[in-house]
Structure formats: structure tokens, C-alpha cells
Amino acid sequence: MGGGPAGLSAARSYREAGGGGAVAIVADERRVPYNRPPLTKELLRNEIEEDELPLEEEEWLSEQRIGLISGRAVAWMRAIAR
């Protein structure tokens, strides 16, 4: 869970370890996990382009069968606990 480097790393590690179950990254934004620190620095200063922010390509997520779920993980966990 989480749309940043930690969430992506967890999903990647699970797949690399042979995990075959359902995997999804839950984040407020419906977009590929991206490197957040440059967003508030280099991108806003026009030193990099927006397409340089993603940590993986969408195709990689698709190949690895990793879904993207838009929403807050806490709200999602509450919903499935009911």
C-alpha cells in the first residue's frame, strides 16, 4: 500500500520472491508511483520533466499484475473490515 517508493518496493519484492497473489498499490492519486522529492524541487524549477518522475513504467505494473487503486488506504481498510 502507498503510492511512493515503499509501496512499489513492497510489491516488487513480493513478486520477486515468487508471490502470485493479488497485488495493488493504494494511493490518493491514480498514477504510477513516482519520486516525490523532485516534484517539489526540480520539477517546479523546470529542471526535469514530469515524465521523469515515475519509478516504473505502467507497462511494468501491468506485466507484474500490480493494480492501482485510487483512494486512501485507511478508508479502504475500514471498508473491507465491515
Side-chain angles (χ1 to χ4, degrees), residues 11-57:
R12 179 185 289 127
S13 295
Y14 176 73
R15 285 293 187 240
E16 287 174 355
V23 176
I25 294 172
V26 180
D28 285 342
E29 303 169 273
R30 178 124 177 97
R31 64 184 310 163
V32 176
Y34 61 93
N35 198 358
R36 284 167 167 71
L39 179 66
T40 58
K41 297 177 181 80
E42 290 93 351
L43 182 68
L44 295 176
R45 291 190 301 239
N46 294 317
E47 295 172 2
I48 63 171
E49 299 294 321
E50 187 173 347
D51 63 352
E52 295 177 66
L53 294 175
L55 298 170
E56 281 293 350
E57 299 295 325

